Amino acid sequence: MTGETDTQAVTGSTGVPEELLLLRRATSAVANAGDLADALRDVLHLVMQRTGWLAAAAWLCEADALLPSGDVGALDVDVATTAWRHNRVAWGYNNVAVPVLAADELVAVFCFNVGVRTVHDDAMVDVVALVTAHLGSQIRRRQLEDRVAAVQHELARYNRELEAANEDLRRSNADLVEFAYVASHDLSEPLRVISGHVQLLARRYEGKLGDDADRYIAFAVDGCNRMQSLIKDLLEYARVGQSPLATKDVDCNRVMDEVMIGLSSAIADGGADVQVGVLPEVHGDPGQLRELFANLVANAVKFTVPGEVPVVTVAGVPDGRYVRFAVADHGIGVPERHRERIFRMFQRLHAREDYEGTGIGLAICRRIVERHGGRIEVEDTPGGGATLVFTLPASRKVFG
């Protein structure tokens, strides 16, 4: 950067001290500049106007490095480095470097080419040093403001990219759910035809075609039944994701009464003891909440230790703006390494011969809980077994 001599300013013929004039204009330049680089350039230009010096440049102090701000031209970086390391004015052959401080922190170094050094230059260095002592905090503030602006710009860009990715994901999920619904629905009809004919074969020809034929027919019937269960659960999973939530304040005690009636046969067949505490109200979709509790209680009754009476407890307590529920059993438990896996589609930890099911029930439960803004996870039950812990929004009567 080069400058031209401002004779009136140098002589101070206005009657105002030179350092005060320079400080006033430099302060205004820093305040009005577009960014830190512009502010530094404007201040250096004002100094050259006052002093008649030939060129100027600035270095910023960043951690353990001295970084140039803009074009430093032929100015002596060694002189700037000396001023930076020793925190004092440093002279070279025809260069002078002035440190800029904010409190006790060195924030920048100004370097000038004075041409042929004179007594006038020594006096002007003192003026510039006084000015920079007042400008340091302003420059530091602009430096921080620029950093904040840069971070905000990056965050805005990341947010836009994240929103675009989320929108793509929402579209993909909607497409997958729709595909699952259509595919499952379309598969049901031909499967019913196949299942009907296989069952007809079983009724008409069982015991007439030999043991091998009976075994093959039994395999076919079992396969059709399992496929029908899979399609039914897949349709249910798709339906949970497709249908909009019809939320309202829900009495979970009434929901559990309906669940207990619906599971009465399974509970009686297993000889289970299902204990339900007094449950708080929540804000949600009654139909989906009924399905959620039914799946969890049915799982707790099913996955029991052979020969033992299933004991299941259902409890719920307020937890801030949510209600924390726990469905606990003393059954076979869930190993820690599988606690995420069990919430995925078609994931089974046990042979179908040991415990029936399609491996979709807990995936449906997670989908319901997350659609309500909650979380679900597995914990150990004291004394053995597994506890499904999940959160649902509290009643609007409590928080509005």
Side-chain angles (χ1 to χ4, degrees):
M1 176 182 295
T2 59
E4 298 176 357
T5 303
D6 181 344
T7 304
Q8 182 182 14
V10 171
T11 60
S13 61
T14 59
V16 180
E18 291 186 35
E19 61 267 29
L20 183 58
L21 281 172
L22 183 56
L23 177 60
R24 185 184 300 166
R25 293 182 181 178
T27 299
S28 176
V30 174
N32 296 323
D35 57 24
L36 181 60
D38 291 342
L40 294 176
R41 186 183 64 247
D42 293 346
V43 170
L44 294 175
H45 183 69
L46 287 169
V47 171
M48 285 193 296
Q49 282 185 318
R50 284 284 176 179
T51 61
W53 289 337
L54 305 179
W59 280 265
L60 292 173
C61 305
E62 298 283 352
D64 295 327
L66 194 63
L67 304 178
S69 174
D71 181 16
V72 297
L75 289 161
D76 193 342
V77 67
D78 291 335
V79 176
T81 302
T82 300
W84 169 52
R85 287 179 176 169
H86 299 285
N87 194 9
R88 61 174 174 77
V89 173
W91 280 92
Y93 172 66
N94 59 356
N95 282 191
V96 63
V98 181
V100 182
L101 287 84
D104 294 328
E105 181 184 2
L106 188 62
V107 296
V109 173
F110 290 169
C111 191
F112 304 93
N113 184 330
V114 302
V116 179
R117 181 176 175 182
T118 66
V119 174
H120 165 82
D121 295 319
D122 291 337
M124 289 310 303
V125 167
D126 292 338
V127 172
V128 172
L130 284 172
V131 170
T132 58
H134 292 282
L135 284 181
S137 58
Q138 255 194 310
I139 292 174
R140 181 58 173 164
R141 184 174 66 251
R142 287 307 304 262
Q143 191 175 24
L144 295 175
E145 287 172 353
D146 284 1
R147 289 178 183 173
V148 169
V151 170
Q152 289 175 334
H153 178 76
E154 283 298 295
L155 284 175
R157 183 174 66 83
Y158 290 146
N159 285 336
R160 288 193 299 270
E161 293 176 355
L162 181 60
E163 183 57 35
N166 285 339
E167 183 58 33
D168 289 342
L169 184 60
R170 282 191 289 268
R171 282 197 298 267
S172 296
N173 283 341
D175 290 344
L176 286 173
V177 168
E178 185 176 358
F179 171 78
Y181 186 85
V182 172
S184 302
H185 189 273
D186 289 349
L187 285 172
S188 297
E189 182 58 31
L191 182 61
R192 277 195 294 269
V193 174
I194 295 170
S195 178
H197 283 80
V198 170
Q199 290 172 1
L200 185 60
L201 280 173
R203 286 196 299 270
R204 287 190 178 182
Y205 298 105
E206 185 176 5
K208 299 178 181 179
L209 302 176
D211 292 341
D212 286 345
D214 288 347
R215 190 166 60 254
Y216 297 154
I217 292 173
F219 287 155
V221 171
D222 180 64
C224 287
N225 290 337
R226 286 193 287 112
M227 182 61 75
Q228 284 177 327
S229 295
L230 279 170
I231 290 175
K232 173 180 171 293
D233 286 351
L234 188 57
L235 277 168
E236 185 58 36
Y237 182 84
R239 184 191 62 78
V240 167
Q242 270 194 333
S243 57
L245 291 176
T247 58
K248 63 179 183 178
D249 283 346
V250 179
D251 182 353
C252 291
N253 299 290
R254 295 187 63 180
V255 169
M256 277 305 303
D257 288 342
E258 295 170 4
V259 167
M260 294 294 287
I261 293 172
L263 295 177
S264 57
S265 295
I267 292 172
D269 291 345
D273 177 14
V274 180
Q275 304 167 5
V276 182
V278 178
L279 305 178
E281 284 192 1
V282 299
H283 191 80
D285 183 305
Q288 292 200 2
L289 296 184
R290 189 161 46 247
E291 185 171 4
L292 168 66
F293 281 101
N295 274 338
L296 293 177
V297 172
N299 264 10
V301 171
K302 178 171 63 176
F303 291 104
T304 188
V305 177
E308 294 189 4
V309 175
V311 177
V312 180
T313 59
V314 181
V317 294
D319 185 11
R321 301 184 71 88
Y322 287 81
V323 175
R324 187 176 188 270
F325 292 94
V327 178
D329 63 53
H330 293 280
I332 59 177
V334 180
E336 188 169 353
R337 66 182 183 277
H338 294 312
R339 290 182 181 177
E340 175 62 26
R341 177 185 163 195
I342 62 172
F343 293 106
R344 300 174 191 161
M345 294 278 286
F346 306 117
Q347 295 297 312
R348 299 178 54 88
L349 303 185
H350 309 281
R352 191 173 289 105
E353 294 77 16
D354 297 330
Y355 298 97
E356 64 178 13
T358 59
I360 298 179
L362 286 179
I364 292 175
C365 290
R366 168 178 273 186
R367 195 169 185 84
I368 292 172
V369 170
E370 290 183 349
R371 290 195 75 198
H372 282 77
R375 293 176 57 83
I376 185 169
E377 57 189 5
V378 186
E379 297 178 358
D380 288 325
T381 301
T387 300
L388 273 295
V389 178
F390 58 98
T391 56
L392 294 171
S395 166
R396 294 286 173 87
K397 296 175 185 176
V398 178
F399 292 102

